[in-house]
Short mmCIF file of all heavy atoms in Angstrom, two decimals:
data_model
loop_
_atom_site.label_atom_id
_atom_site.label_comp_id
_atom_site.label_asym_id
_atom_site.label_seq_id
_atom_site.Cartn_x
_atom_site.Cartn_y
_atom_site.Cartn_z
N ALA A 26 -4.75 -11.55 -36.27
CA ALA A 26 -3.93 -12.14 -35.23
C ALA A 26 -3.79 -11.23 -34.03
O ALA A 26 -3.85 -11.65 -32.88
CB ALA A 26 -2.55 -12.52 -35.79
N ALA A 27 -3.61 -9.92 -34.31
CA ALA A 27 -3.46 -8.94 -33.24
C ALA A 27 -4.75 -8.84 -32.43
O ALA A 27 -4.73 -8.75 -31.20
CB ALA A 27 -3.10 -7.59 -33.81
N GLU A 28 -5.87 -8.87 -33.11
CA GLU A 28 -7.16 -8.79 -32.43
C GLU A 28 -7.41 -10.04 -31.57
O GLU A 28 -7.91 -9.94 -30.46
CB GLU A 28 -8.30 -8.59 -33.44
CG GLU A 28 -8.26 -7.22 -34.10
CD GLU A 28 -9.32 -7.10 -35.20
OE1 GLU A 28 -9.81 -8.17 -35.66
OE2 GLU A 28 -9.63 -5.98 -35.61
N ALA A 29 -7.05 -11.17 -32.12
CA ALA A 29 -7.21 -12.43 -31.36
C ALA A 29 -6.33 -12.45 -30.14
O ALA A 29 -6.76 -12.87 -29.04
CB ALA A 29 -6.88 -13.63 -32.27
N ARG A 30 -5.10 -11.97 -30.28
CA ARG A 30 -4.18 -11.92 -29.15
C ARG A 30 -4.70 -10.93 -28.07
O ARG A 30 -4.66 -11.24 -26.90
CB ARG A 30 -2.79 -11.49 -29.61
CG ARG A 30 -1.77 -11.37 -28.48
CD ARG A 30 -0.44 -10.89 -29.00
NE ARG A 30 0.50 -10.58 -27.93
CZ ARG A 30 1.29 -11.47 -27.32
NH1 ARG A 30 1.25 -12.73 -27.69
NH2 ARG A 30 2.11 -11.09 -26.35
N ALA A 31 -5.22 -9.79 -28.54
CA ALA A 31 -5.73 -8.79 -27.60
C ALA A 31 -6.93 -9.39 -26.79
O ALA A 31 -7.04 -9.15 -25.60
CB ALA A 31 -6.17 -7.54 -28.35
N ALA A 32 -7.78 -10.14 -27.51
CA ALA A 32 -8.92 -10.75 -26.85
C ALA A 32 -8.45 -11.80 -25.85
O ALA A 32 -8.99 -11.88 -24.73
CB ALA A 32 -9.84 -11.41 -27.89
N THR A 33 -7.45 -12.57 -26.22
CA THR A 33 -6.90 -13.60 -25.29
C THR A 33 -6.33 -12.92 -24.05
O THR A 33 -6.56 -13.39 -22.93
CB THR A 33 -5.82 -14.41 -26.02
OG1 THR A 33 -6.39 -15.08 -27.13
CG2 THR A 33 -5.20 -15.43 -25.07
N VAL A 34 -5.57 -11.88 -24.27
CA VAL A 34 -4.95 -11.15 -23.12
C VAL A 34 -6.00 -10.57 -22.22
O VAL A 34 -5.91 -10.69 -20.99
CB VAL A 34 -4.02 -10.03 -23.65
CG1 VAL A 34 -3.58 -9.13 -22.51
CG2 VAL A 34 -2.79 -10.65 -24.35
N SER A 35 -7.04 -9.93 -22.80
CA SER A 35 -8.09 -9.35 -22.00
C SER A 35 -8.86 -10.38 -21.18
O SER A 35 -9.14 -10.18 -19.98
CB SER A 35 -9.06 -8.60 -22.94
OG SER A 35 -10.11 -8.03 -22.20
N GLU A 36 -9.17 -11.53 -21.79
CA GLU A 36 -9.90 -12.57 -21.09
C GLU A 36 -9.04 -13.14 -19.95
O GLU A 36 -9.55 -13.39 -18.85
CB GLU A 36 -10.28 -13.69 -22.08
CG GLU A 36 -11.34 -13.26 -23.08
CD GLU A 36 -11.55 -14.31 -24.16
OE1 GLU A 36 -10.93 -15.40 -24.06
OE2 GLU A 36 -12.32 -14.04 -25.11
N ALA A 37 -7.79 -13.35 -20.22
CA ALA A 37 -6.88 -13.88 -19.18
C ALA A 37 -6.73 -12.91 -18.02
O ALA A 37 -6.70 -13.29 -16.87
CB ALA A 37 -5.52 -14.20 -19.78
N ALA A 38 -6.69 -11.60 -18.35
CA ALA A 38 -6.56 -10.58 -17.31
C ALA A 38 -7.83 -10.55 -16.44
O ALA A 38 -7.74 -10.40 -15.22
CB ALA A 38 -6.32 -9.22 -17.94
N THR A 39 -8.97 -10.69 -17.08
CA THR A 39 -10.24 -10.70 -16.32
C THR A 39 -10.28 -11.88 -15.37
O THR A 39 -10.72 -11.76 -14.23
CB THR A 39 -11.43 -10.76 -17.30
OG1 THR A 39 -11.41 -9.59 -18.13
CG2 THR A 39 -12.75 -10.79 -16.55
N ARG A 40 -9.86 -13.05 -15.85
CA ARG A 40 -9.83 -14.24 -14.99
C ARG A 40 -8.89 -14.03 -13.82
O ARG A 40 -9.19 -14.43 -12.68
CB ARG A 40 -9.40 -15.47 -15.79
CG ARG A 40 -10.47 -15.94 -16.79
CD ARG A 40 -10.15 -17.37 -17.25
NE ARG A 40 -8.87 -17.46 -17.91
CZ ARG A 40 -8.69 -17.25 -19.22
NH1 ARG A 40 -9.75 -16.97 -19.96
NH2 ARG A 40 -7.52 -17.36 -19.76
N ALA A 41 -7.73 -13.44 -14.09
CA ALA A 41 -6.75 -13.22 -13.04
C ALA A 41 -7.30 -12.28 -11.96
O ALA A 41 -7.13 -12.49 -10.76
CB ALA A 41 -5.47 -12.65 -13.62
N ARG A 42 -8.00 -11.24 -12.41
CA ARG A 42 -8.52 -10.26 -11.45
C ARG A 42 -9.65 -10.83 -10.60
O ARG A 42 -9.92 -10.34 -9.51
CB ARG A 42 -8.99 -9.01 -12.20
CG ARG A 42 -7.88 -8.20 -12.79
CD ARG A 42 -8.35 -6.85 -13.21
NE ARG A 42 -8.86 -6.11 -12.06
CZ ARG A 42 -9.52 -4.97 -12.12
NH1 ARG A 42 -9.78 -4.43 -13.31
NH2 ARG A 42 -9.92 -4.35 -11.04
N SER A 43 -10.35 -11.84 -11.12
CA SER A 43 -11.45 -12.44 -10.37
C SER A 43 -10.96 -13.63 -9.53
O SER A 43 -11.77 -14.29 -8.86
CB SER A 43 -12.56 -12.90 -11.31
OG SER A 43 -12.10 -13.89 -12.23
N GLY A 44 -9.68 -13.91 -9.56
CA GLY A 44 -9.14 -15.03 -8.81
C GLY A 44 -8.94 -14.75 -7.35
O GLY A 44 -9.07 -13.60 -6.89
N PRO A 45 -8.61 -15.78 -6.58
CA PRO A 45 -8.48 -15.63 -5.12
C PRO A 45 -7.37 -14.75 -4.67
O PRO A 45 -7.44 -14.13 -3.60
CB PRO A 45 -8.23 -17.08 -4.67
CG PRO A 45 -7.67 -17.79 -5.89
CD PRO A 45 -8.37 -17.16 -7.04
N ARG A 46 -6.31 -14.59 -5.49
CA ARG A 46 -5.19 -13.76 -5.08
C ARG A 46 -5.58 -12.26 -5.06
O ARG A 46 -4.89 -11.45 -4.42
CB ARG A 46 -3.98 -13.96 -5.99
CG ARG A 46 -3.32 -15.33 -5.84
CD ARG A 46 -2.10 -15.46 -6.71
NE ARG A 46 -1.48 -16.77 -6.61
CZ ARG A 46 -0.60 -17.09 -5.70
NH1 ARG A 46 -0.21 -16.19 -4.78
NH2 ARG A 46 -0.10 -18.31 -5.64
N MET A 47 -6.61 -11.91 -5.79
CA MET A 47 -7.05 -10.52 -5.83
C MET A 47 -8.24 -10.24 -4.92
O MET A 47 -8.66 -9.12 -4.78
CB MET A 47 -7.43 -10.16 -7.27
CG MET A 47 -6.27 -10.19 -8.25
SD MET A 47 -5.18 -8.78 -8.00
CE MET A 47 -4.03 -8.96 -9.40
N ALA A 48 -8.79 -11.29 -4.32
CA ALA A 48 -10.05 -11.16 -3.57
C ALA A 48 -9.96 -10.14 -2.43
O ALA A 48 -10.83 -9.30 -2.25
CB ALA A 48 -10.49 -12.52 -3.08
N ALA A 49 -8.91 -10.23 -1.63
CA ALA A 49 -8.77 -9.37 -0.45
C ALA A 49 -8.67 -7.92 -0.84
O ALA A 49 -9.36 -7.04 -0.29
CB ALA A 49 -7.59 -9.79 0.38
N SER A 50 -7.83 -7.63 -1.83
CA SER A 50 -7.65 -6.24 -2.25
C SER A 50 -8.92 -5.66 -2.91
O SER A 50 -9.26 -4.50 -2.71
CB SER A 50 -6.45 -6.09 -3.20
OG SER A 50 -6.64 -6.90 -4.38
#
Side-chain angles (χ1 to χ4, degrees):
E28 291 174 343
R30 178 183 172 85
T33 298
V34 169
S35 179
E36 292 172 5
T39 299
R40 288 196 300 272
R42 291 194 61 190
S43 62
R46 291 183 181 274
M47 295 287 186
S50 60

